[in-house]
Amino acid sequence: MNRHRLQQLFDTLFDCHGQQGWWPADSDIEMSFGAILVQNTNWTNARLAIEQLRKESLLNQLALLECPQDRLETHIRSSGYFRQKAARLRIFCRWLVDHGGFESLRRRSTSDLRESLLGLSGIGPETADCILLYAFERPVFVADGYARRILERLGLTNGSKASAYEKIRRLVEEEIRMDAGAFKEFHALLVTHGKKVCGPKPDCKVCDLSGVCRFHHDKVRLAGATERRN
DNA sequence: ACCCAGGGTCATA
DNA sequence: TATGACCATGGG
């Protein structure tokens, strides 16, 4: 069934790309900030912003909440959408403070935490699940754009459209039973593989799993990606 | 001069 | 429910 093929996908990705070791961060809050700062941006730009925040000693709730908005925007400018993201960091920090910080939040259930995170403006399903998985160590499948596209093309989504984040997330979580550590690797491997372009005649073991994984053979925009103007 | 990168919100039909 | 506009930087 799908369970076997999902496991096979994981094993093949691991053989192809090796241990990824995500998410690089020294603390839960640094990881969470990274999840917000990396939204629709490459990790290099997000990391530069994190290093600025570190240099300014702003990698904690209270310090960040005290930092003036315009200075916060300047510090994270490299991550793009810096006005939105400065506001989002603030909203997240306010949430942390109001709920007693990570230590207190750890006692809550995964579904409870997810619902609470999704209530914050600027935290969508993918960002919430990344925080749940990497900061709270909950066994959650991050059904990001790469994962959805690869699974759909391998015929593993039971007809769910690639735009259906929640359906695909539940589907995978019900099919295979992994601990948080394995889900971390799975997410990182899918993103790493999804970014990789092999060329016209790829030597790609993942594609060999199925004839319908044609990611490396054409250019298809990720669902939800935006058109650029001007 | 393009295109892309580890999304999310809001207005509209 | 499902598109479309918008947010913005840095690297190839």
Side-chain angles (χ1 to χ4, degrees), chain A residues 30-166:
Chain A
E30 179 183 335
M31 182 273 138
S32 303
F33 283 4
I36 291 170
L37 292 171
V38 81
Q39 287 171 354
N40 203 37
T41 304
N42 56 63
W43 178 247
T44 302
N45 285 2
R47 201 167 51 78
L48 287 171
I50 293 171
E51 293 313 317
Q52 279 301 311
L53 293 179
R54 190 194 316 285
K55 197 163 73 177
E56 303 290 332
S57 301
L58 290 173
L59 292 178
N60 72 76
Q61 304 91 299
L62 298 177
L64 190 135
L65 284 170
E66 285 180 16
C67 181
Q69 182 75 9
D70 56 339
R71 271 211 276 158
L72 185 53
E73 289 174 359
T74 302
H75 293 140
I76 66 171
R77 192 169 115 312
S78 68
S79 69
Y81 306 148
F82 54 85
R83 295 188 187 88
Q84 286 188 355
K85 286 177 180 176
R88 290 174 184 188
L89 290 178
R90 253 173 213 297
I91 290 171
F92 179 74
C93 286
R94 171 52 58 195
W95 176 79
L96 275 181
V97 170
D98 290 346
H99 293 267
F102 282 99
E103 188 164 345
S104 176
L105 286 163
R106 281 190 192 289
R107 289 187 233 114
R108 299 172 60 173
S109 72
T110 301
S111 58
D112 192 17
L113 279 174
R114 177 183 283 112
E115 194 178 346
S116 188
L117 281 166
L118 290 176
L120 304 180
S121 180
I123 307 280
E126 183 171 341
T127 307
D129 285 337
C130 282
I131 293 172
L132 287 172
L133 175 58
Y134 293 97
F136 287 95
E137 303 272 340
R138 306 302 168 92
V140 160
F141 180 70
V142 181
D144 61 52
Y146 294 120
R148 298 198 303 271
R149 181 168 59 189
I150 291 170
L151 293 180
E152 183 176 33
R153 292 198 176 172
L154 289 170
L156 295 172
T157 55
N158 284 356
S160 296
K161 292 165 73 174
S163 58
Y165 182 100
E166 189 63 15

Side-chain angles (χ1 to χ4, degrees), chain A residues 10 19 22 133 137-139 178-186:
Chain A
F10 178 89
Q19 181 103 19
W22 285 16
L133 175 58
E137 303 272 340
R138 306 302 168 92
M178 287 183 171
D179 58 17
F183 272 124
K184 289 181 186 180
E185 280 306 310
F186 205 6

